[in-house]
Amino acid sequence: MIATMKAGDVVLLTTAASVQFLRPIFVRVIRELPERHTYDGWVWIEAYELNAAGDAVARRELYVRRGGVRFQAQPAAPTTPTRRRPVRRGPVRVG
């Protein structure tokens, strides 16, 4: 059984998922659309198309073959930057 896609999953769509993905794309799944009836092994998904930086650039509804979807590892959670201590400086002489 192939896993159900859930909100937040990042997947790679290639021609294995559908012939429309001659140029592979990465998407972040919003949800599957189970109310749309499809052929066995196919599914409609609502997703955000991602650019090279991983930012959402377009919201799309896609018809894909479930067996051709490649799940990607989730990016590491961003870390909070450490606070830098101010550097103490003495008075500045002018002239």
Side-chain angles (χ1 to χ4, degrees):
M1 175 83 185
I2 297 171
T4 300
M5 289 173 273
K6 61 187 180 310
D9 284 344
V10 175
V11 297
L12 174 63
L13 302 176
T14 65
T15 53
S18 175
V19 294
Q20 67 184 313
F21 303 113
L22 188 59
R23 181 184 60 84
I25 65 170
F26 286 95
V27 298
R28 183 179 307 115
V29 176
I30 298 170
R31 65 186 179 119
E32 282 193 19
L33 302 169
E35 64 275 4
R36 294 191 183 175
H37 299 287
T38 65
Y39 292 104
D40 187 40
W42 291 78
V43 64
W44 278 95
I45 61 171
E46 193 172 355
Y48 290 112
E49 184 175 351
L50 304 176
N51 64 12
D55 300 320
V57 293
R59 187 173 180 154
R60 300 182 61 179
E61 289 184 1
L62 304 166
Y63 186 58
V64 298
R65 190 171 67 84
R66 190 182 300 274
V69 171
R70 288 196 247 165
F71 288 85
Q72 301 297 302
Q74 293 294 322
T79 59
T80 56
T82 58
R83 291 188 95 171
R84 295 178 60 180
R85 292 184 175 189
V87 177
R88 293 192 180 255
R89 294 189 176 141
V92 177
R93 297 175 88 175
V94 178

